[in-house]
Every structure is written in structure tokens, then in C-alpha cells.
């Protein structure tokens, strides 16, 4: 991050205006905390480089359904703290909200120096087409994401949608970023070349198990599970690298997968205790904590398919399954971190 | 408007990116309709001038409490219609939300070509200080805005706050606009040099009467009326011109007051019938329609002073008073329209 900031800063000279975007910024106390950290890093880098702070244009992006009002209502306090901490005020950091999909254009040409996205790019622009035959047969029966039992056509459909989306993402950013601009992306991935490997799929596998157990008891129609597939893909580093290379506008500075525990950030370790009290997680089992965190992210899409009144029971069963899984294994995700620079050739998109 | 658009367009050449801001954009179907009209005008002007359409950066600004979510949720449909009507799509018109007071900086330096604000600049940044003596004596007893019975110190306090605010507004925009950039402002004003003249004050006068009648019946404490003053000022064209001249960054192209009826846009003429059905105004008297429209704007500030449960009764009485006023006179406002250009000297703010 520090190196990317310093590098991106150099590209603002001599214009002294820096365009920064957080793509998939979400809405909550963390949204502006990320901005605050970025401004601090830029402030530090400027001090070290002995240059004055450029005017910062910070764009916060998410889909139109995101709660931007919450972010905007927090701005007066944010500016007050920012001024105290860095001396940067209303006339030094211009924050705006941009609602739209990052798989298409969001910003004017050559306007961004630093692009950041965390925990968003594993969400596809849509459920992959082709998971249902023309005759109406569902190919991924009893599952809601790639699974060991999924036929190869399902894996292919998912990969193909990710390739299309990630290519579109890079092509849009290529148009928007200045030559030499830096992009830092982190999202769910996997370490195995096999898309059906346990790490990367198992959270969905357990959710499908919970759904199927409810179908067995007649609480949910099995057909609804067969026809539901998550708009999600956890790529391997190689798949990501291939798309970056094919698209051609960016040079990879760094690409690495990091193992993180499922309940990292939501476990009741001493450090996190205060957070857990705030988030209402303090009296839950580890499985219960994971279920609560996952529920916050996926509930909307599940309730439109399976009904709102099924959600409590679903996530109760899910929590149990996660607890059982924790008792057998160290449940982990792979977080892919990708750092790229906009190259200077092909600057014409 | 057409001339301002064409003029501002010329200032985008050869960069071919145009910064546009709507200050005090509010939230509702009209917000994006204004954007749509502006884009159409720019599109027409480009056709006439034989130049290609610049990339449009449209910033929608209002206070942090504004419902930006509603605007953002309407964007997908807006873009769909815009593309149909003008061929301008996601990669030609970039809309963002900017939450903050336009009496301070909102945008980076030299980033705006066209600034627009409608029905907002008569709202002051705060209630003028000095309407209460150090000993705690309220100077504007029984009134909530400048009135014929207000002492000169009240008029002076209001004018002084407007001068300070409008100066700060111009100084902020001077920093943000390119040389030659155009600004179109329309807001409530008055035609008389006398700030207590009936036109410009009488809506507040009748609201104060309604409040006082409730105080007489013990429904509201009179002290609460004495201590309440609206953060509003309707300036004369001369007062506006003086501040523009004093600030020094803008040249006035046009400044004029237009008489408009109180109930223009909300009367039950044939043309407006459909609108009134939508707005629930169709079965109301003219006074009732005015009361409903005024209530939508001022209710929040009144209910925090006088209590939410007083509002129905207050606006019932207000509607009666407005009906009576209509029976005696043609009730009218003055709408000031000001068009200015950012001058090329003093471009250093």
C-alpha cells in the first residue's frame, strides 16, 4: 500500500490533483475509515518526499442500492477528525459518491491515480448463464456454487463469467486511470487450480447443506435450490494473471494469496472483544459468529429466492454446520491480493 | 440557459471534459430531470457548433441530510432514457453525489464549467446571530422573519448574514470554476429596497400569525415563537449585485427579478391537474395547496422548535390565512435570476 501510494503520488506531479477511488465501498463505519487511512498514507508519503499535499478527489463507489446516505451523514464528523489529525480540511479532500457497477465505466478518462477495492471482485455481475439447459434442466442440482459434484459445464460457466467480468473491470479502469496509476485489489480466491477444491467453495457447500436439510423437511422446495446459483467466483492467482495479461493495460507488481481463517475478525479474541460487543457477536459460538457475518452479506439474495421467513432457521442450521466443520478442520479462505500499474502503452482505451 | 451552455462549452475546448454542478439539487423526480435537460441542451449546442460532445462530469450537491439514495436508485432508469434520447451512455455522462454546504468548498480547483442552483440560495447557512441581546431579550418578538414591526437591528442582522453567506458562496465557486465558466442561480428575492416589504416577507408573516393564534390558545409557548427565526433571506437585486461586485471574481451577465404567483406550479389549472393528483393536491383550496407545498419545505425546522404534534393544526390555520390573503390580493413572490461568468482576472482563489 505505502509503495503504491508513493508511486501514484508521483503521477500527480506537477498537476497536484490526485484521483482516488474505492470500488465497492459498502456502507458503515469502515467506509470512511479506509478513506482516512489512505489520506494519512498520502500525507506521510508527501512529508517523506518533501512535496505539498495534492488536492485529493476521493470517489466512493458501490451499487445504486448501497446506503450512501449513511456515509454522507458521517462526513461532517469525518472532516472534523481529518482536520485534527492531518490538517487536511474541506478544501483539501473532496469526497463524492458514485453509484454504479464497476464492471462498466464510472469515471472520466485519465482521472484516477489510485484505485482500491476490497472484498468485492469475487461478486460477479450476474449469475453465469448456461447453468440451466434450454429444456429447463438445472445443471447444478442441490448446490448453490461450484461443488465437487458439479458437472464440468458448471465450472466452465462460472470461470467464463468471471473472465468476462474481470476483463470488463480492467478495461473500464484502463480508460479511467492515468499512465502509471496504481490499483490495489483484494478479493476471495483459491490456492488450488481445481475450482471445486474445498478452500474457496466450502462456505457455499455448507449453506447448500443447510438448505437441502430444510428441503428434506418440506420447508423449502428442492427445485428452488436447484435453480439458485450464487453470483460469486473465487479465482486462482493464475486465472487472474491470465486475464490481466490478456487485457493488456496493466502490469502486475504483486499477486499473492493469503490464508485467512473463516472467523478472522469475528472471533472472540481479546483484541476483538470490543468489536464483537458492538456487532452483537459476543455471546455466539464460532459457527454462530461466522453465520451472522455471512448472513449480513448474502441474506438479501437468499430471501428473494427462499422467502424471508426461512432466514432465521436457515442460518441457525448453517451455524451448526459451521461449528461442526470447525471441530474437524481449520476452516480457511484464500484472500487474493493484486497490485497492478496502468502501463504506458495502450493508453487509448 | 442556452447561451450559458454554449459559452461554458467553449471553455471545455480542447480538453473535452465538462464539469457541471447542481447546488442544492434536493431529492425527487425533478433532480435527474434537471440533469437530463442540461445534457439535452449541451447535446444541442454541440450539434449546432459542430463539435463532439465532451465527457460530462455532473455533480449533484446538497446537504448531508439529503436523500441521495433515492437519486442513486433512479440512475439505472435515467441512464436508460438518456441513452435512448441522446445516445449518451455510461461512458459519456458521469454523475456523482457531493454532500456538503455550498457556503464552503465542495469541488477541486478549476474543475467546473457550468454551475446551476435553483431555489436554494435564499436559505442562509445559519439563523443570523444578534437576534437576541446578551441579556437574553429576543428582538423579533412574535415574528419568525423580517416583518414591518421588526426593529432595524433585525433587518441588519439578516442582511449581514446574507452578505457573509453569499460572499462565501461566490468565493468558493471562484476557486472551483474555470475562467469563463458560467453560473446560473435562481432564488427568492424582493423588488423593493425595503427588506420588510410585503412581497418577500408575507409567507412568513402569515406563518407567524398562525403560530401566534396557537400561542393565544395556549397550544404553543409565545417564548418559542419569539426565539425562533427562519434562516432565510430574500435579497433585492441591488444587494446581490453589490456582493458580486465586492467579491470580484464574477461578471454579471444578467440579473432580473420575475414575479411568480405563490401557487404557481401547484394550482389546479388543467395543465397541472395530473401533477396535483400525483402530489395529493387535487382536492385542496389554493391556500391548502400553498400550505402543503410550504410545509414540505419548512416542517422539519418548525417541528424541532414547536413539536411534531403541532404541525397539522399549524398548517390548517396557515392554509386558512393564505386563502383569506388570496381573496384580497394577488399573492406573489419575486424570483431573482442571476447569470454570471467567472472572470479571467483574480483566478487565484
Amino acid at each position: 500500500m505505502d509503495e503504491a501510494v508513493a508511486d501514484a503520488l508521483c503521477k500527480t506531479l506537477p498537476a497536484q490533483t490526485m484521483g482516488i477511488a474505492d470500488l465497492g465501498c459498502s456502507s458503515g463505519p469502515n467506509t470512511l475509515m479506509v478513506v482516512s487511512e489512505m489520506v494519512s498514507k498520502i500525507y506521510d508519503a508527501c512529508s517523506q518526499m518533501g512535496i505539498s499535499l495534492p488536492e485529493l478527489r476521493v470517489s466512493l463507489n458501490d451499487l445504486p442500492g448501497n446506503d450512501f446516505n449513511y456515509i454522507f451523514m458521517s462526513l461532517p464528523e469525518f472532516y472534523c477528525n481529518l482536520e485534527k489529525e492531518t490538517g487536511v480540511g474541506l478544501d483539501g479532500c473532496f469526497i463524492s459518491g458514485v453509484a454504479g457497477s464497476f464492471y462498466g465505466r464510472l469515471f472520466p478518462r485519465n482521472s484516477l491515480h489510485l484505485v482500491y477495492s476490497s472484498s468485492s471482485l469475487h461478486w460477479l455481475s450476474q449469475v453465469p448463464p448456461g447453468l440451466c439447459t434450454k429444456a429447463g434442466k438445472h445443471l447444478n442440482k442441490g448446490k448453490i456454487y461450484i461443488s465437487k459434484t458439479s458437472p464440468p459445464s458448471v465450472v466452465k460457466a462460472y470461470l467464463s463469467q468471471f473472465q468476462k467480468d474481470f476483463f470488463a473491470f480492467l478495461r473500464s479502469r484502463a480508460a479511467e486511470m492515468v499512465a502509471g496509476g496504481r490499483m490495489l485489489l483484494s478479493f476471495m480466491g483459491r490456492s488450488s487450480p481445481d475450482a471445486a477444491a474445498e478452500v474457496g467453495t466450502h462456505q457455499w457447500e455448507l449453506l447448500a447443506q443447510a438448505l437441502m436439510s430444510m428441503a428434506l423437511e418440506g420447508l423449502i422446495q428442492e427445485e428452488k435450490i436447484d435453480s439458485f446459483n450464487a453470483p460469486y467466483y473465487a479465482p486462482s492467482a493464475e486465472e487472474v494473471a491470465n486475464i490481466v495479461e490478456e487485457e493488456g493495460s496493466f502490469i502486475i507488481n504483486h499477486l499473492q494469496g493469503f490464508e485467512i481463517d473463516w472467523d478472522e475478525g469475528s472471533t472472540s479474541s481479546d483484541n476483538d472483544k470490543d468489536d464483537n460487543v458492538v456487532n452483537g457477536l459476543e455471546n455466539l459460538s464460532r459457527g454462530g459468529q461466522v453465520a451472522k457475518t455471512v448472513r449480513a452479506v448474502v441474506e438479501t439474495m437468499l430471501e428473494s429466492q427462499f422467502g424471508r421467513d426461512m432466514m432465521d432457521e436457515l442460518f441457525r442450521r448453517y451455524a451448526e454446520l459451521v461449528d461442526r466443520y470447525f471441530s474437524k478442520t481449520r476452516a480457511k479462505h484464500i484472500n487474493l491480493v493484486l497490485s497492478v500499474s496502468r502501463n504506458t502503452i495502450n493508453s487509448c482505451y
Side-chain angles (χ1 to χ4, degrees), chain A:
Chain A
M1 180 84 172
D2 291 356
E3 179 224 332
V5 164
D7 199 31
L9 251 179
C10 295
K11 302 303 176 296
T12 68
L13 301 168
Q16 282 287 297
T17 165
M18 186 175 192
I20 301 164
D22 181 354
L23 307 179
C25 64
S26 189
S27 177
N30 285 342
T31 306
L32 288 173
M33 218 183 295
V34 170
V35 178
S36 188
E37 276 170 30
M38 275 200 277
V39 176
S40 287
K41 279 187 193 304
I42 294 167
Y43 183 82
D44 291 347
C46 284
S47 300
Q48 277 186 8
M49 294 160 81
I51 58 173
S52 59
L53 199 70
E55 275 194 334
L56 305 176
R57 295 175 277 111
V58 180
S59 299
L60 299 174
N61 155 260
D62 213 313
L63 291 172
N66 189 51
D67 187 3
F68 283 93
N69 285 354
Y70 176 89
I71 304 173
F72 289 156
M73 297 280 272
S74 318
L75 279 177
E77 196 190 338
F78 166 83
Y79 274 114
C80 192
N81 292 334
L82 190 70
E83 185 132 31
K84 260 188 241 156
E85 285 158 26
T86 62
V88 177
L90 277 173
D91 58 350
C93 179
F94 302 95
I95 295 178
S96 63
V98 173
S101 164
F102 52 48
Y103 292 122
R105 286 287 302 280
L106 293 167
F107 306 99
R109 283 172 192 284
N110 295 309
S111 63
L112 298 178
H113 298 79
L114 187 60
V115 173
Y116 170 87
S117 175
S118 170
S119 295
S120 299
L121 276 157
H122 43 250
W123 294 110
L124 301 172
S125 67
Q126 58 176 33
V127 176
L131 297 180
C132 178
T133 65
K134 276 181 193 159
K137 197 188 151 209
H138 299 298
L139 298 175
N140 205 21
K141 280 179 78 67
K143 303 294 175 184
I144 59 173
Y145 178 59
I146 296 167
S147 160
K148 288 206 172 77
T149 63
S150 303
S153 57
V154 168
V155 179
K156 205 177 146 197
Y158 265 102
L159 173 59
S160 164
Q161 184 64 45
F162 177 75
Q163 286 170 328
K164 208 179 137 197
D165 282 343
F166 198 63
F167 188 97
F169 175 86
L170 294 173
R171 188 51 60 96
S172 292
R173 300 299 83 72
E176 295 160 358
M177 291 175 69
V178 301
R182 293 287 294 254
M183 182 151 69
L184 288 173
L185 310 174
S186 93
F187 48 98
M188 294 291 191
R190 60 180 207 274
S191 46
S192 161
D194 176 12
E198 190 166 311
V199 176
T201 64
H202 216 69
Q203 277 206 335
W204 296 107
E205 192 70 31
L206 296 181
L207 205 46
Q209 275 180 33
L211 285 165
M212 284 301 279
S213 76
M214 289 172 77
L216 269 174
E217 292 171 30
L219 293 169
I220 280 177
Q221 285 177 282
E222 199 170 329
E223 199 277 334
K224 287 212 164 174
I225 304 171
D226 296 345
S227 65
F228 180 86
N229 290 287
Y232 172 95
Y233 187 73
S236 68
E238 197 190 349
E239 286 168 356
V240 168
N242 287 344
I243 305 169
V244 175
E245 197 176 326
E246 187 200 346
E247 197 279 327
S249 310
F250 293 92
I251 299 156
I252 295 178
N253 305 310
H254 195 79
L255 172 58
Q256 196 176 350
F258 294 92
E259 282 190 2
I260 45 166
D261 289 329
W262 277 19
D263 52 358
E264 196 170 291
S266 65
T267 45
S268 292
S269 73
D270 274 353
N271 287 345
D272 296 322
K273 235 170 213 166
D274 289 347
D275 280 352
N276 287 337
V277 172
V278 172
N279 299 325
L281 294 173
E282 75 281 20
N283 292 322
L284 296 174
S285 66
R286 288 178 70 199
Q289 291 176 19
V290 169
K292 188 158 179 155
T293 308
V294 170
R295 182 172 182 167
V297 180
V298 301
E299 184 169 25
T300 317
M301 71 176 99
L302 292 175
E303 72 184 9
S304 64
Q305 176 80 355
F306 301 107
R308 193 168 204 170
D309 46 342
M310 291 296 117
M311 293 300 109
D312 285 347
E313 181 58 20
L314 173 63
F315 285 97
R316 198 191 57 72
R317 290 176 191 226
Y318 181 60
E320 276 179 20
L321 290 167
V322 175
D323 269 328
R324 216 171 301 156
Y325 188 63
F326 271 130
S327 70
K328 289 183 297 185
T329 183
R330 182 192 149 209
K332 61 190 183 191
H333 293 299
I334 297 296
N335 203 24
L336 282 183
V337 174
L338 170 65
S339 162
V340 297
S341 296
R342 175 76 173 97
N343 62 20
T344 39
I345 354 156
N346 297 333
S347 286
C348 53
Y349 301 125

